[in-house]
Amino acid sequence: MAASLWLSGGGERLLRLLRAGRSALGAGLSLPARPGWRHLHGTWELLGTPGIKVLMPALSPTMEEGNIVKWLKKEGDTVNVGDALCEIETDKAVVTMESSDDGILAKILVEEGSKNVRLGSLIGLLVEEGQDWKQVEIPADAGSPPSVAPPAPAPASAPAAPSVSAPPKLQHQPGKLQIRLSPAARNILETHGLDPSNVTPTGPRGIFTKEDALKLLQEKQKGKPSELKPVVSPVPAAVPSPSQAPAVTSYPRPAIPPVSKPGQPPALGTFTEIPASNIRRVIAKRLTESKTTIPHAYAAADCAIDAVLKLRKELAKDDIKVSVNDFIIKATAVTLKQMPDVNVTWDGEACRRLQSIDISIAVATDRGLITPIIKDVAAKGIKEIAASAKALAKKARDGKLLPEEYQGGSFSISNLGMFGISDFTAVINPPQACILAVGRARPALKIVEDEEGNEKLEQHQLMTVTLSSDGRVVDDELASKFLETLKANIENPMRLALN
């Protein structure tokens, strides 16, 4: 009855327009504002402007999520292909995201300062020029945070097996004091079904130890109540209902020591939690993967750099400013050219020998360590290497590196000599096979022979270099020969001009 009345009131015309497609609606035809239309369809989305989705892109090979640092366009601005839309902090640097479409920025869905935005998440909407950007349609799933995984549904209860029953798990109850358990204590408590809540832990920082659990077990076997001092449980003001109680996993870790409060003097044992940036998290992940999956081998050599220091002073007279590290980069590139079997990477299944010698240099920034790349180092002179290293280091500290400036590389160098470090070992940056750790120059006495064959003591400037190599592709013999050749190139810098 209601449907026949609606059709008699002009509904047939509306259905013809609806069948004609959406283009008819966008061509200037409007639907009558009838209550029946709103009631039957329940939304005005058919009258909105379709949007072009702007998604969080992958701006580096290892990027899994990013932070929106700043929007460079505001809603209503005209956007052309190649225009800078926003600045995104990746796991490597702050990169400018460029638009791949023409149009008008209609809606910013992820505001500035948003963190941990997953790849492929909807961050904004564009509309074509000439369309009403204020009426852009917002997708139904735009408001749901993509980085938050939905809670796993509770598994269906299965019939109890009559054979073996698992030991009961200790569950945290709201209102009871949470206790930290050592692994051995946890195993004893679960196996014998003991409750540690009425016993005062004797371990450091309130840990319930194995000895506490054994004593509790002995009391239970004797049938006597525990003589230990019971723990005073705080009385909650109001016990939340089961529907309001937060879900807590077994053995939740309590805030011991407690978090310090701003504006108040720190109490004994308090700490301040510092959120990790994307770069810090990725560094932690990649270092862990490197140390646990790559068989690191180490070899070290002492190099006399007297000739390098002398040549550096002579170049300074001609206003050519280069550092010792620039000579090391050049010497390493020449050595890799002489020994191409070290200029390799490992892709998980095979070794790849690279034609170009691209050296990654480690640069410390406020956000973490990053390794910009000097491309084709063997073909560059010392002066060009110095200019490239200085420019890349500045861009790295400013967070302005482009993806192609830190992705790839065939060999890495990390120099801590400027911090007074004599020698150290570095972690390989996969898929590269080697990294060279460079220490400071230090004076040392060395026995040498004069022209007449007499031995005498002379002071030299020595520098220790340590090679970390992937044993799967660079064995000990090859690593030793590489260091021997590198030492000869550093101690005789005139060789660098011949390559």
Side-chain angles (χ1 to χ4, degrees):
M1 182 72 176
S4 61
L5 291 176
W6 180 76
L7 290 173
S8 64
E12 294 179 351
R13 175 173 172 269
L14 296 179
L15 288 176
R16 286 196 300 270
L17 291 174
L18 186 59
R19 294 192 189 101
R22 190 162 188 157
S23 59
L25 295 176
L29 297 177
S30 59
L31 297 176
R34 284 184 171 271
W37 175 264
R38 292 194 302 270
H39 176 71
L40 290 177
H41 296 272
T43 179
W44 286 101
E45 286 186 353
L46 292 175
L47 296 178
T49 304
I52 303 171
K53 293 183 177 180
V54 180
L55 306 178
M56 172 65 76
L59 299 175
S60 75
T62 57
M63 178 179 173
E64 297 179 355
E65 56 188 23
N67 303 335
I68 305 295
V69 178
K70 181 180 180 181
W71 279 95
L72 304 177
K73 297 284 186 179
K74 59 180 182 294
E75 294 180 0
D77 286 355
T78 300
V79 178
N80 297 318
V81 173
D83 285 356
L85 275 180
C86 62
E87 293 181 350
I88 297 175
E89 181 188 5
T90 70
D91 56 343
K92 298 291 186 181
V94 178
V95 182
T96 300
M97 174 186 173
E98 297 180 351
S99 175
S100 58
D101 296 286
D102 294 326
I104 300 174
L105 181 58
K107 188 66 177 178
I108 295 175
L109 298 175
V110 181
E111 299 295 335
E112 293 181 1
S114 299
K115 298 183 180 297
N116 306 330
V117 183
R118 303 290 298 180
L119 295 186
S121 301
L122 184 61
I123 62 175
L125 292 170
L126 300 176
V127 297
E128 297 180 358
E129 293 186 11
Q131 293 183 325
D132 187 1
W133 60 271
K134 295 182 180 180
Q135 299 297 329
V136 65
E137 291 182 14
I138 308 299
D141 58 346
S144 59
S147 59
V148 179
S157 58
S163 57
V164 180
S165 60
K169 295 286 185 179
L170 298 177
Q171 300 292 337
H172 169 65
Q173 298 178 0
K176 283 193 174 183
L177 185 65
Q178 303 178 29
I179 301 176
R180 296 181 63 189
L181 305 175
S182 68
R186 179 185 294 111
N187 183 42
I188 295 174
L189 295 176
E190 287 185 349
T191 302
H192 298 279
L194 302 176
D195 183 9
S197 60
N198 294 326
V199 179
T200 302
T202 62
R205 298 172 63 188
I207 297 178
F208 194 94
T209 63
K210 175 183 176 182
E211 289 72 17
D212 296 333
L214 291 176
K215 188 170 184 179
L216 184 61
L217 178 60
Q218 292 176 357
E219 295 293 336
K220 178 182 179 182
Q221 291 174 348
K222 294 179 181 179
K224 299 179 180 180
S226 175
E227 297 177 357
L228 296 177
K229 182 181 178 180
V231 174
V232 180
S233 302
V235 179
V239 179
S241 62
S243 60
Q244 297 175 347
V248 180
T249 57
S250 299
Y251 310 116
R253 179 170 181 152
I256 299 176
V259 181
S260 61
K261 298 181 180 179
Q264 297 183 6
L268 182 63
T270 59
F271 66 94
T272 301
E273 184 171 313
I274 303 175
S277 64
N278 283 353
I279 296 178
R280 292 284 183 186
R281 285 197 299 269
V282 172
I283 289 174
K285 178 181 178 181
R286 288 179 62 82
L287 287 178
T288 303
E289 290 177 353
S290 177
K291 289 295 288 185
T292 55
T293 61
I294 297 178
H296 283 59
Y298 307 101
D302 289 333
C303 305
I305 61 171
D306 301 272
V308 169
L309 296 176
K310 182 179 179 181
L311 180 57
R312 182 168 174 256
K313 288 182 179 180
E314 293 178 358
L315 292 175
K317 295 177 182 179
D318 297 330
D319 201 23
I320 300 176
K321 297 181 180 180
V322 294
S323 66
V324 174
N325 198 53
D326 299 328
F327 281 97
I328 296 171
I329 294 173
K330 178 63 178 179
T332 302
V334 171
T335 308
L336 290 172
K337 186 177 180 180
Q338 295 170 339
M339 303 182 65
D341 288 341
V342 183
N343 193 51
V344 295
T345 60
W346 176 259
D347 65 354
E349 296 181 356
C351 174
R352 295 181 178 181
R353 181 188 294 175
L354 305 179
Q355 301 300 322
S356 179
I357 298 175
D358 303 329
I359 295 184
S360 305
I361 54 174
V363 177
T365 70
D366 295 337
R367 292 176 294 275
L369 193 70
I370 191 168
T371 53
I373 302 169
I374 303 177
K375 302 292 182 68
D376 198 14
V377 184
K380 290 181 169 65
I382 293 290
K383 187 176 180 180
E384 189 177 359
I385 291 174
S388 298
K390 185 176 180 180
L392 288 172
K394 185 178 186 305
K395 294 183 70 174
R397 294 187 180 98
D398 295 340
K400 300 297 183 182
L401 285 174
L402 301 176
E404 58 268 19
E405 292 176 327
Y406 57 79
Q407 295 175 6
S410 59
F411 193 98
S412 292
I413 296 178
S414 178
N415 191 337
L416 295 181
M418 67 284 296
F419 300 108
I421 304 301
S422 298
D423 62 87
F424 67 102
T425 55
V427 181
I428 297 173
N429 183 23
Q432 298 176 12
C434 295
I435 182 171
L436 187 70
V438 182
R440 68 179 179 90
R442 65 189 189 280
L445 294 176
K446 183 179 180 181
I447 299 178
V448 297
E449 292 185 357
D450 56 16
E451 297 178 355
E452 299 178 356
N454 299 321
E455 294 183 348
K456 62 177 181 179
L457 283 175
E458 285 187 356
Q459 180 173 290
H460 291 269
Q461 293 291 325
L462 297 183
M463 178 184 65
T464 301
V465 293
T466 306
L467 180 69
S468 303
S469 57
D470 186 343
R472 297 171 296 186
V473 290
V474 179
D475 57 26
D476 293 340
E477 181 182 5
L478 183 59
S480 300
K481 290 181 178 179
F482 175 84
L483 278 181
E484 182 182 14
T485 307
L486 176 64
K487 174 182 170 71
N489 289 330
I490 292 176
E491 294 182 347
N492 300 277
M494 294 305 296
R495 291 187 179 188
L496 308 181
L498 302 178
N499 292 273

PDB file of all heavy atoms in Angstrom, residues 34-63:
ATOM      1  N   ARG A  34      11.991  14.272  -1.210  1.00  0.00           N
ATOM      2  CA  ARG A  34      10.772  13.665  -0.662  1.00  0.00           C
ATOM      3  C   ARG A  34      11.120  12.831   0.556  1.00  0.00           C
ATOM      4  O   ARG A  34      12.128  12.130   0.575  1.00  0.00           O
ATOM      5  CB  ARG A  34      10.113  12.751  -1.702  1.00  0.00           C
ATOM      6  CG  ARG A  34       9.363  13.525  -2.791  1.00  0.00           C
ATOM      7  CD  ARG A  34       8.662  12.552  -3.722  1.00  0.00           C
ATOM      8  NE  ARG A  34       7.769  13.241  -4.636  1.00  0.00           N
ATOM      9  CZ  ARG A  34       6.512  13.514  -4.374  1.00  0.00           C
ATOM     10  NH1 ARG A  34       6.030  13.193  -3.198  1.00  0.00           N
ATOM     11  NH2 ARG A  34       5.748  14.122  -5.255  1.00  0.00           N
ATOM     12  N   PRO A  35      10.294  12.890   1.563  1.00  0.00           N
ATOM     13  CA  PRO A  35      10.549  12.055   2.740  1.00  0.00           C
ATOM     14  C   PRO A  35      10.607  10.580   2.388  1.00  0.00           C
ATOM     15  O   PRO A  35      11.347   9.834   2.989  1.00  0.00           O
ATOM     16  CB  PRO A  35       9.393  12.378   3.685  1.00  0.00           C
ATOM     17  CG  PRO A  35       8.908  13.730   3.237  1.00  0.00           C
ATOM     18  CD  PRO A  35       9.120  13.783   1.764  1.00  0.00           C
ATOM     19  N   GLY A  36       9.806  10.164   1.389  1.00  0.00           N
ATOM     20  CA  GLY A  36       9.808   8.751   1.014  1.00  0.00           C
ATOM     21  C   GLY A  36      11.146   8.291   0.517  1.00  0.00           C
ATOM     22  O   GLY A  36      11.594   7.192   0.787  1.00  0.00           O
ATOM     23  N   TRP A  37      11.816   9.160  -0.235  1.00  0.00           N
ATOM     24  CA  TRP A  37      13.145   8.793  -0.743  1.00  0.00           C
ATOM     25  C   TRP A  37      14.129   8.593   0.404  1.00  0.00           C
ATOM     26  O   TRP A  37      14.868   7.628   0.454  1.00  0.00           O
ATOM     27  CB  TRP A  37      13.622   9.898  -1.695  1.00  0.00           C
ATOM     28  CG  TRP A  37      15.026   9.684  -2.184  1.00  0.00           C
ATOM     29  CD1 TRP A  37      16.145  10.224  -1.681  1.00  0.00           C
ATOM     30  CD2 TRP A  37      15.425   8.845  -3.269  1.00  0.00           C
ATOM     31  NE1 TRP A  37      17.242   9.800  -2.378  1.00  0.00           N
ATOM     32  CE2 TRP A  37      16.827   8.944  -3.367  1.00  0.00           C
ATOM     33  CE3 TRP A  37      14.746   8.017  -4.159  1.00  0.00           C
ATOM     34  CZ2 TRP A  37      17.546   8.268  -4.323  1.00  0.00           C
ATOM     35  CZ3 TRP A  37      15.469   7.344  -5.116  1.00  0.00           C
ATOM     36  CH2 TRP A  37      16.843   7.462  -5.194  1.00  0.00           C
ATOM     37  N   ARG A  38      14.132   9.498   1.340  1.00  0.00           N
ATOM     38  CA  ARG A  38      15.054   9.376   2.454  1.00  0.00           C
ATOM     39  C   ARG A  38      14.711   8.166   3.320  1.00  0.00           C
ATOM     40  O   ARG A  38      15.584   7.495   3.831  1.00  0.00           O
ATOM     41  CB  ARG A  38      15.025  10.643   3.309  1.00  0.00           C
ATOM     42  CG  ARG A  38      15.617  11.854   2.587  1.00  0.00           C
ATOM     43  CD  ARG A  38      15.896  12.985   3.577  1.00  0.00           C
ATOM     44  NE  ARG A  38      14.689  13.397   4.285  1.00  0.00           N
ATOM     45  CZ  ARG A  38      13.883  14.353   3.853  1.00  0.00           C
ATOM     46  NH1 ARG A  38      14.130  14.980   2.711  1.00  0.00           N
ATOM     47  NH2 ARG A  38      12.820  14.686   4.549  1.00  0.00           N
ATOM     48  N   HIS A  39      13.394   7.911   3.462  1.00  0.00           N
ATOM     49  CA  HIS A  39      13.007   6.804   4.324  1.00  0.00           C
ATOM     50  C   HIS A  39      13.404   5.465   3.711  1.00  0.00           C
ATOM     51  O   HIS A  39      13.900   4.583   4.404  1.00  0.00           O
ATOM     52  CB  HIS A  39      11.497   6.856   4.566  1.00  0.00           C
ATOM     53  CG  HIS A  39      10.986   5.683   5.364  1.00  0.00           C
ATOM     54  ND1 HIS A  39      11.254   5.542   6.706  1.00  0.00           N
ATOM     55  CD2 HIS A  39      10.251   4.606   4.992  1.00  0.00           C
ATOM     56  CE1 HIS A  39      10.679   4.431   7.145  1.00  0.00           C
ATOM     57  NE2 HIS A  39      10.075   3.842   6.118  1.00  0.00           N
ATOM     58  N   LEU A  40      13.192   5.310   2.404  1.00  0.00           N
ATOM     59  CA  LEU A  40      13.445   4.024   1.783  1.00  0.00           C
ATOM     60  C   LEU A  40      14.937   3.778   1.583  1.00  0.00           C
ATOM     61  O   LEU A  40      15.393   2.656   1.631  1.00  0.00           O
ATOM     62  CB  LEU A  40      12.727   3.928   0.430  1.00  0.00           C
ATOM     63  CG  LEU A  40      11.193   3.827   0.519  1.00  0.00           C
ATOM     64  CD1 LEU A  40      10.595   3.810  -0.865  1.00  0.00           C
ATOM     65  CD2 LEU A  40      10.776   2.588   1.288  1.00  0.00           C
ATOM     66  N   HIS A  41      15.700   4.830   1.365  1.00  0.00           N
ATOM     67  CA  HIS A  41      17.105   4.639   1.054  1.00  0.00           C
ATOM     68  C   HIS A  41      18.010   4.966   2.226  1.00  0.00           C
ATOM     69  O   HIS A  41      19.135   4.484   2.299  1.00  0.00           O
ATOM     70  CB  HIS A  41      17.488   5.476  -0.170  1.00  0.00           C
ATOM     71  CG  HIS A  41      16.756   5.015  -1.411  1.00  0.00           C
ATOM     72  ND1 HIS A  41      17.257   4.023  -2.221  1.00  0.00           N
ATOM     73  CD2 HIS A  41      15.573   5.391  -1.948  1.00  0.00           C
ATOM     74  CE1 HIS A  41      16.411   3.816  -3.234  1.00  0.00           C
ATOM     75  NE2 HIS A  41      15.392   4.645  -3.074  1.00  0.00           N
ATOM     76  N   GLY A  42      17.569   5.813   3.170  1.00  0.00           N
ATOM     77  CA  GLY A  42      18.277   6.016   4.422  1.00  0.00           C
ATOM     78  C   GLY A  42      19.610   6.718   4.309  1.00  0.00           C
ATOM     79  O   GLY A  42      20.378   6.717   5.246  1.00  0.00           O
ATOM     80  N   THR A  43      19.991   7.320   3.192  1.00  0.00           N
ATOM     81  CA  THR A  43      21.285   7.985   3.055  1.00  0.00           C
ATOM     82  C   THR A  43      21.227   8.985   1.924  1.00  0.00           C
ATOM     83  O   THR A  43      20.433   8.864   1.001  1.00  0.00           O
ATOM     84  CB  THR A  43      22.396   6.957   2.770  1.00  0.00           C
ATOM     85  OG1 THR A  43      23.616   7.668   2.630  1.00  0.00           O
ATOM     86  CG2 THR A  43      22.159   6.196   1.475  1.00  0.00           C
ATOM     87  N   TRP A  44      22.088   9.993   2.019  1.00  0.00           N
ATOM     88  CA  TRP A  44      22.234  10.996   0.962  1.00  0.00           C
ATOM     89  C   TRP A  44      23.473  10.729   0.121  1.00  0.00           C
ATOM     90  O   TRP A  44      23.904  11.577  -0.643  1.00  0.00           O
ATOM     91  CB  TRP A  44      22.333  12.390   1.577  1.00  0.00           C
ATOM     92  CG  TRP A  44      21.024  12.896   2.088  1.00  0.00           C
ATOM     93  CD1 TRP A  44      20.602  12.910   3.364  1.00  0.00           C
ATOM     94  CD2 TRP A  44      19.961  13.474   1.314  1.00  0.00           C
ATOM     95  NE1 TRP A  44      19.357  13.445   3.468  1.00  0.00           N
ATOM     96  CE2 TRP A  44      18.931  13.813   2.216  1.00  0.00           C
ATOM     97  CE3 TRP A  44      19.789  13.723  -0.034  1.00  0.00           C
ATOM     98  CZ2 TRP A  44      17.739  14.387   1.804  1.00  0.00           C
ATOM     99  CZ3 TRP A  44      18.604  14.308  -0.456  1.00  0.00           C
ATOM    100  CH2 TRP A  44      17.587  14.631   0.451  1.00  0.00           C
ATOM    101  N   GLU A  45      24.128   9.579   0.247  1.00  0.00           N
ATOM    102  CA  GLU A  45      25.395   9.332  -0.430  1.00  0.00           C
ATOM    103  C   GLU A  45      25.257   9.401  -1.945  1.00  0.00           C
ATOM    104  O   GLU A  45      26.193   9.758  -2.631  1.00  0.00           O
ATOM    105  CB  GLU A  45      25.944   7.972  -0.036  1.00  0.00           C
ATOM    106  CG  GLU A  45      26.497   7.953   1.365  1.00  0.00           C
ATOM    107  CD  GLU A  45      27.149   6.648   1.681  1.00  0.00           C
ATOM    108  OE1 GLU A  45      27.044   5.741   0.841  1.00  0.00           O
ATOM    109  OE2 GLU A  45      27.758   6.548   2.761  1.00  0.00           O
ATOM    110  N   LEU A  46      24.077   9.066  -2.472  1.00  0.00           N
ATOM    111  CA  LEU A  46      23.887   9.118  -3.917  1.00  0.00           C
ATOM    112  C   LEU A  46      23.967  10.532  -4.439  1.00  0.00           C
ATOM    113  O   LEU A  46      24.153  10.744  -5.622  1.00  0.00           O
ATOM    114  CB  LEU A  46      22.537   8.488  -4.279  1.00  0.00           C
ATOM    115  CG  LEU A  46      22.433   6.978  -4.050  1.00  0.00           C
ATOM    116  CD1 LEU A  46      21.025   6.510  -4.338  1.00  0.00           C
ATOM    117  CD2 LEU A  46      23.439   6.244  -4.910  1.00  0.00           C
ATOM    118  N   LEU A  47      23.843  11.525  -3.576  1.00  0.00           N
ATOM    119  CA  LEU A  47      23.913  12.912  -4.005  1.00  0.00           C
ATOM    120  C   LEU A  47      25.304  13.483  -3.823  1.00  0.00           C
ATOM    121  O   LEU A  47      25.556  14.610  -4.189  1.00  0.00           O
ATOM    122  CB  LEU A  47      22.905  13.750  -3.200  1.00  0.00           C
ATOM    123  CG  LEU A  47      21.432  13.394  -3.412  1.00  0.00           C
ATOM    124  CD1 LEU A  47      20.577  14.259  -2.511  1.00  0.00           C
ATOM    125  CD2 LEU A  47      21.017  13.559  -4.863  1.00  0.00           C
ATOM    126  N   GLY A  48      26.283  12.734  -3.213  1.00  0.00           N
ATOM    127  CA  GLY A  48      27.617  13.238  -2.948  1.00  0.00           C
ATOM    128  C   GLY A  48      28.518  13.172  -4.172  1.00  0.00           C
ATOM    129  O   GLY A  48      28.166  12.633  -5.222  1.00  0.00           O
ATOM    130  N   THR A  49      29.713  13.737  -4.011  1.00  0.00           N
ATOM    131  CA  THR A  49      30.698  13.748  -5.085  1.00  0.00           C
ATOM    132  C   THR A  49      31.662  12.588  -4.887  1.00  0.00           C
ATOM    133  O   THR A  49      32.227  12.435  -3.805  1.00  0.00           O
ATOM    134  CB  THR A  49      31.491  15.071  -5.066  1.00  0.00           C
ATOM    135  OG1 THR A  49      30.573  16.159  -5.159  1.00  0.00           O
ATOM    136  CG2 THR A  49      32.481  15.118  -6.216  1.00  0.00           C
ATOM    137  N   PRO A  50      31.859  11.755  -5.906  1.00  0.00           N
ATOM    138  CA  PRO A  50      32.779  10.629  -5.749  1.00  0.00           C
ATOM    139  C   PRO A  50      34.198  11.126  -5.560  1.00  0.00           C
ATOM    140  O   PRO A  50      34.635  12.096  -6.185  1.00  0.00           O
ATOM    141  CB  PRO A  50      32.622   9.844  -7.052  1.00  0.00           C
ATOM    142  CG  PRO A  50      32.119  10.834  -8.044  1.00  0.00           C
ATOM    143  CD  PRO A  50      31.259  11.794  -7.264  1.00  0.00           C
ATOM    144  N   GLY A  51      34.968  10.476  -4.682  1.00  0.00           N
ATOM    145  CA  GLY A  51      36.324  10.906  -4.366  1.00  0.00           C
ATOM    146  C   GLY A  51      37.380   9.981  -4.944  1.00  0.00           C
ATOM    147  O   GLY A  51      37.123   8.807  -5.223  1.00  0.00           O
ATOM    148  N   ILE A  52      38.573  10.525  -5.126  1.00  0.00           N
ATOM    149  CA  ILE A  52      39.744   9.768  -5.539  1.00  0.00           C
ATOM    150  C   ILE A  52      40.563   9.498  -4.284  1.00  0.00           C
ATOM    151  O   ILE A  52      40.989  10.431  -3.600  1.00  0.00           O
ATOM    152  CB  ILE A  52      40.578  10.551  -6.572  1.00  0.00           C
ATOM    153  CG1 ILE A  52      39.720  10.912  -7.790  1.00  0.00           C
ATOM    154  CG2 ILE A  52      41.800   9.739  -7.001  1.00  0.00           C
ATOM    155  CD1 ILE A  52      40.400  11.871  -8.743  1.00  0.00           C
ATOM    156  N   LYS A  53      40.794   8.245  -3.979  1.00  0.00           N
ATOM    157  CA  LYS A  53      41.439   7.879  -2.724  1.00  0.00           C
ATOM    158  C   LYS A  53      42.929   8.201  -2.755  1.00  0.00           C
ATOM    159  O   LYS A  53      43.620   7.962  -3.742  1.00  0.00           O
ATOM    160  CB  LYS A  53      41.247   6.389  -2.424  1.00  0.00           C
ATOM    161  CG  LYS A  53      39.802   6.003  -2.138  1.00  0.00           C
ATOM    162  CD  LYS A  53      39.688   4.540  -1.770  1.00  0.00           C
ATOM    163  CE  LYS A  53      38.249   4.169  -1.418  1.00  0.00           C
ATOM    164  NZ  LYS A  53      38.128   2.744  -1.050  1.00  0.00           N
ATOM    165  N   VAL A  54      43.425   8.747  -1.643  1.00  0.00           N
ATOM    166  CA  VAL A  54      44.851   8.967  -1.427  1.00  0.00           C
ATOM    167  C   VAL A  54      45.274   8.010  -0.313  1.00  0.00           C
ATOM    168  O   VAL A  54      44.829   8.131   0.819  1.00  0.00           O
ATOM    169  CB  VAL A  54      45.153  10.428  -1.024  1.00  0.00           C
ATOM    170  CG1 VAL A  54      46.658  10.614  -0.810  1.00  0.00           C
ATOM    171  CG2 VAL A  54      44.646  11.392  -2.083  1.00  0.00           C
ATOM    172  N   LEU A  55      46.129   7.049  -0.654  1.00  0.00           N
ATOM    173  CA  LEU A  55      46.518   5.995   0.275  1.00  0.00           C
ATOM    174  C   LEU A  55      47.941   6.209   0.773  1.00  0.00           C
ATOM    175  O   LEU A  55      48.766   6.849   0.116  1.00  0.00           O
ATOM    176  CB  LEU A  55      46.407   4.622  -0.402  1.00  0.00           C
ATOM    177  CG  LEU A  55      45.049   4.284  -1.026  1.00  0.00           C
ATOM    178  CD1 LEU A  55      45.102   2.921  -1.689  1.00  0.00           C
ATOM    179  CD2 LEU A  55      43.945   4.322   0.016  1.00  0.00           C
ATOM    180  N   MET A  56      48.218   5.670   1.954  1.00  0.00           N
ATOM    181  CA  MET A  56      49.569   5.713   2.500  1.00  0.00           C
ATOM    182  C   MET A  56      50.480   4.853   1.620  1.00  0.00           C
ATOM    183  O   MET A  56      50.284   3.642   1.508  1.00  0.00           O
ATOM    184  CB  MET A  56      49.581   5.203   3.937  1.00  0.00           C
ATOM    185  CG  MET A  56      50.964   5.021   4.536  1.00  0.00           C
ATOM    186  SD  MET A  56      51.890   6.556   4.731  1.00  0.00           S
ATOM    187  CE  MET A  56      51.075   7.261   6.168  1.00  0.00           C
ATOM    188  N   PRO A  57      51.505   5.468   0.976  1.00  0.00           N
ATOM    189  CA  PRO A  57      52.346   4.700   0.049  1.00  0.00           C
ATOM    190  C   PRO A  57      53.520   4.036   0.767  1.00  0.00           C
ATOM    191  O   PRO A  57      53.859   4.368   1.900  1.00  0.00           O
ATOM    192  CB  PRO A  57      52.844   5.796  -0.906  1.00  0.00           C
ATOM    193  CG  PRO A  57      52.957   7.005  -0.034  1.00  0.00           C
ATOM    194  CD  PRO A  57      51.853   6.898   1.005  1.00  0.00           C
ATOM    195  N   ALA A  58      54.147   3.097   0.066  1.00  0.00           N
ATOM    196  CA  ALA A  58      55.387   2.480   0.545  1.00  0.00           C
ATOM    197  C   ALA A  58      56.551   3.289  -0.004  1.00  0.00           C
ATOM    198  O   ALA A  58      56.863   3.224  -1.183  1.00  0.00           O
ATOM    199  CB  ALA A  58      55.468   1.028   0.090  1.00  0.00           C
ATOM    200  N   LEU A  59      57.188   4.061   0.864  1.00  0.00           N
ATOM    201  CA  LEU A  59      58.255   4.963   0.442  1.00  0.00           C
ATOM    202  C   LEU A  59      59.643   4.382   0.688  1.00  0.00           C
ATOM    203  O   LEU A  59      60.636   5.054   0.435  1.00  0.00           O
ATOM    204  CB  LEU A  59      58.117   6.308   1.175  1.00  0.00           C
ATOM    205  CG  LEU A  59      56.796   7.050   0.902  1.00  0.00           C
ATOM    206  CD1 LEU A  59      56.702   8.301   1.756  1.00  0.00           C
ATOM    207  CD2 LEU A  59      56.686   7.414  -0.575  1.00  0.00           C
ATOM    208  N   SER A  60      59.714   3.147   1.190  1.00  0.00           N
ATOM    209  CA  SER A  60      60.987   2.445   1.308  1.00  0.00           C
ATOM    210  C   SER A  60      60.689   0.951   1.303  1.00  0.00           C
ATOM    211  O   SER A  60      59.571   0.536   1.635  1.00  0.00           O
ATOM    212  CB  SER A  60      61.726   2.850   2.590  1.00  0.00           C
ATOM    213  OG  SER A  60      61.142   2.245   3.722  1.00  0.00           O
ATOM    214  N   PRO A  61      61.666   0.120   0.922  1.00  0.00           N
ATOM    215  CA  PRO A  61      61.406  -1.321   0.833  1.00  0.00           C
ATOM    216  C   PRO A  61      61.027  -1.953   2.155  1.00  0.00           C
ATOM    217  O   PRO A  61      60.284  -2.926   2.181  1.00  0.00           O
ATOM    218  CB  PRO A  61      62.753  -1.879   0.316  1.00  0.00           C
ATOM    219  CG  PRO A  61      63.442  -0.723  -0.321  1.00  0.00           C
ATOM    220  CD  PRO A  61      63.005   0.481   0.438  1.00  0.00           C
ATOM    221  N   THR A  62      61.515  -1.404   3.269  1.00  0.00           N
ATOM    222  CA  THR A  62      61.245  -2.004   4.579  1.00  0.00           C
ATOM    223  C   THR A  62      60.131  -1.296   5.328  1.00  0.00           C
ATOM    224  O   THR A  62      59.855  -1.635   6.472  1.00  0.00           O
ATOM    225  CB  THR A  62      62.520  -1.970   5.441  1.00  0.00           C
ATOM    226  OG1 THR A  62      62.981  -0.611   5.549  1.00  0.00           O
ATOM    227  CG2 THR A  62      63.624  -2.809   4.808  1.00  0.00           C
ATOM    228  N   MET A  63      59.478  -0.331   4.699  1.00  0.00           N
ATOM    229  CA  MET A  63      58.446   0.446   5.389  1.00  0.00           C
ATOM    230  C   MET A  63      57.184  -0.386   5.560  1.00  0.00           C
ATOM    231  O   MET A  63      56.686  -1.007   4.616  1.00  0.00           O
ATOM    232  CB  MET A  63      58.144   1.711   4.578  1.00  0.00           C
ATOM    233  CG  MET A  63      57.046   2.580   5.159  1.00  0.00           C
ATOM    234  SD  MET A  63      56.771   4.057   4.150  1.00  0.00           S
ATOM    235  CE  MET A  63      55.319   4.748   4.953  1.00  0.00           C
TER     236      MET A  63
END
